[in-house]
């Protein structure tokens, strides 16, 4: 990427990032936009597992309990102090939090904590779009990438094909018209009795199955748009299993997964070709999927594109990506006012 024009006071600025949009309580300190000094994630997945999905009220309460210790741990791991007084300046130069999209009660915990810290430490507050943060998860691990790239954000809540032209310049090329990819994994896994979260369970079981066993539909592939749909695929799985009760679950898992991966890659590749992207990046929880990663590498190699696969820690929600996105927003737009609220349905603009 071309060298950035960075004011001296920002070049080494440390940003405390906070992420509480869903079921991960996370805090991280990132210096100069790309140097991760610490990144702490406390997952609530065990709290929600018995309900088969994230329960918003439980998530908010857990964030309230976990956030302060998680922030304290982020300072310890960075070798910094979270103690600032009138005589002693804080060890971070700004505090950022995800303000949307996400669960409103969960977002509010992070946003109000970040504002309170920024106010008491006398440093700027930065409000971060969670989807923009996912774009930065990719860049944190591939700082030399040449833009434009297409980023496929595939998580439990989102399936987006985003053109990233430059810092702060994005265009959503396509998205799901119904279920998100991770949601389809979770719903199919629940139907197959594989528990929650469904993505990792299907990923593991699919290794033992035959992905050619059942030809599930690839909805909307070849329709000229960059949109996808997964609810019909989920219905096709349910209908098939009801009609063939003796079918091997591993074959269903492998065949379902192949249909999801085929669909995502067909659209991601078409999007990349249409905008002349140099590569395709993955982000979001489903980016941890082993078949999707393997097929993305193969596809990009065949097409002369770069494949950008974040580490598994950067696929799932974390606060390092929030702090990195915040630093770039600060550089481009300055700090945010303290009256910014949580925006549950925030889009990527
Ligand atoms: O990004 P994330 O941690 O949370 C949000 O939705 O924002 O994504 C969680 C989603 C869940 O739907 C989970 O089933 C899915 O990511 N997931 C996977 C895998 N690991 C997590 N899906 C497919 N394969 C995986 N290995
Ligand atoms: Zn996410």
């Amino acid at each position: 990427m071309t060298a950035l024009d960075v004011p001296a006071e920002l070049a080494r600025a440390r940003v405390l990032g906070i992420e509480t949009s869903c079921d991960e309580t996370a805090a991280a300190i990132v210096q100069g936009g790309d140097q991760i000094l610490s990144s702490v994630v406390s997952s609530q997945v065990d709290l929600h597992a018995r309900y088969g999905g994230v329960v918003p009220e439980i998530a908010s309460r857990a964030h309230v309990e976990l956030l302060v210790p998680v922030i304290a741990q982020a300072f310890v791991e960075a070798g910094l102090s979270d103690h600032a007084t009138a005589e002693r300046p804080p060890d971070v130069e700004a505090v950022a939090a995800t303000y949307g999209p996400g669960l409103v009660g969960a977002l509010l915990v992070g946003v109000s904590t970040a504002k309170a810290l920024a106010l008491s430490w006398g440093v700027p507050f930065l409000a971060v779009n969670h989807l923009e943060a996912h774009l930065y998860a990719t860049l944190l691990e591939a700082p030399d990438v040449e833009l434009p790239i297409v980023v496929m954000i595939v998580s439990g809540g989102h399936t987006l094909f985003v053109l990233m032209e430059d810092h702060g310049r994005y265009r959503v090329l396509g998205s799901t018209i119904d279920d998100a990819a991770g949601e389809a994994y979770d719903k199919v896994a629940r139907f197959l009795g594989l528990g929650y979260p469904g993505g990792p369970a299907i990923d593991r079981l699919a290794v033992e199955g035959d992905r050619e066993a059942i030809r599930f539909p690839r909805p909307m592939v070849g329709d000229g748009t960059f949109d996808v749909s997964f609810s019909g695929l989920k219905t096709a799985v349910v209908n098939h299993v009801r009609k063939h009760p003796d079918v091997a679950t591993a074959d269903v898992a492998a065949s379902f997964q192949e249909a999801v991966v085929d669909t995502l890659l067909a659209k991601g590749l078409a999007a990349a070709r249409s905008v002349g992207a140099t590569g395709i990046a993955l982000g979001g929880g489903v980016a941890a999927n082993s078949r999707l990663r393997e097929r993305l590498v193969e596809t990009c190699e065949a097409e002369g594109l770069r494949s950008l696969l974040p580490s598994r820690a950067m696929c799932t929600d974390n606060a390092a990506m929030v702090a990195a996105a915040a630093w770039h927003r600060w550089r481009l737009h300055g700090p945010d006012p303290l009256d910014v609220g949580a925006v549950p349905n925030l889009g990527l603009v």
Side-chain angles (χ1 to χ4, degrees), residues 22 30 124 297 304 345:
C22 190
V30 174
V297 172
N345 298 320

Side-chain angles (χ1 to χ4, degrees):
M1 224 160 7
T2 47
L4 297 173
D5 179 19
V6 182
E9 69 274 17
L10 274 188
R12 292 186 51 74
R14 293 158 300 194
V15 177
L16 167 66
I18 293 173
E19 161 60 41
T20 62
S21 66
C22 190
D23 62 341
E24 250 86 43
T25 314
I29 299 172
V30 174
Q31 184 160 30
D34 59 7
Q35 199 193 336
I36 303 175
L37 303 184
S38 64
S39 180
V40 179
V41 181
S42 172
S43 174
Q44 305 174 6
V45 72
D46 294 343
L47 290 180
H48 301 283
R50 73 172 121 145
Y51 303 102
V54 177
V55 183
E57 179 66 21
I58 292 176
S60 313
R61 285 169 187 270
H63 287 310
V64 169
E65 277 174 28
L66 293 165
L67 187 54
V68 170
V70 164
I71 292 172
Q73 185 65 20
F75 275 92
V76 170
E77 288 186 12
L80 300 173
S81 165
D82 59 359
H83 182 67
T85 62
E87 295 76 37
R88 191 188 186 292
D91 278 357
V92 290
E93 282 71 37
V95 184
T98 301
Y99 76 109
L103 303 168
V104 66
L107 289 165
L108 277 171
V109 177
V111 168
S112 27
T113 304
K115 285 184 196 171
L117 290 174
L119 195 63
S120 66
W121 290 339
V123 298
F125 163 70
L126 302 159
V128 172
N129 183 319
H130 182 79
L131 301 170
E132 189 172 355
H134 271 299
L135 301 178
Y136 277 94
T138 303
L139 296 191
L140 268 172
E141 294 186 326
D144 61 328
V145 69
E146 203 184 316
L147 300 177
I149 55 171
V150 165
V151 186
M152 295 168 40
I153 302 178
V154 277
S155 71
H158 302 279
T159 302
L160 290 176
F161 300 89
V162 181
L163 165 64
M164 184 169 191
E165 293 173 302
D166 201 348
H167 293 286
R169 271 183 47 210
Y170 324 110
R171 192 147 53 90
V172 178
L173 301 171
S175 60
T176 179
I177 61 161
D178 41 54
D179 292 352
E183 194 180 352
Y185 265 97
D186 293 336
K187 286 178 175 171
V188 166
R190 188 186 315 181
F191 172 72
L192 296 175
L194 300 175
Y196 172 85
I202 290 184
D203 197 355
R204 276 192 301 273
L205 186 62
V207 176
E208 298 159 28
D210 173 6
R211 44 185 181 250
E212 312 281 314
I214 310 147
R215 178 74 193 173
F216 288 124
R218 272 73 172 152
M220 299 181 75
V221 167
D223 69 352
T225 74
F226 306 124
D227 292 328
V228 291
S229 158
F230 290 114
S231 87
L233 173 59
K234 176 195 67 197
T235 309
V237 171
V238 171
N239 290 343
H240 185 90
V241 174
R242 291 209 171 123
K243 212 162 148 198
H244 307 275
D246 297 330
V247 66
T249 307
D251 287 350
V252 177
S255 301
F256 160 76
Q257 175 158 281
E258 205 62 10
V260 173
V261 171
D262 270 350
T263 306
L264 290 174
L265 287 180
K267 296 289 179 153
L269 181 59
R273 280 189 188 137
S274 82
V275 296
T278 66
I280 304 178
L282 287 181
V286 182
N289 184 263
S290 48
R291 184 68 181 149
L292 180 59
R293 294 171 81 90
E294 175 181 85
R295 289 274 313 279
L296 181 70
V297 172
E298 285 169 14
T299 307
C300 285
E301 268 175 17
E303 294 284 328
L305 294 169
R306 181 166 172 189
S307 51
L308 297 139
L309 298 176
S311 65
R312 280 164 205 246
M314 275 298 149
C315 293
T316 41
D317 290 348
N318 65 85
M321 66 183 194
V322 174
W327 185 88
H328 284 278
R329 280 199 68 76
W330 191 13
R331 181 174 70 78
L332 294 169
H333 306 287
D336 289 296
L338 285 175
D339 61 0
V340 172
V343 184
N345 298 320
L346 185 68
L348 186 65
V349 205

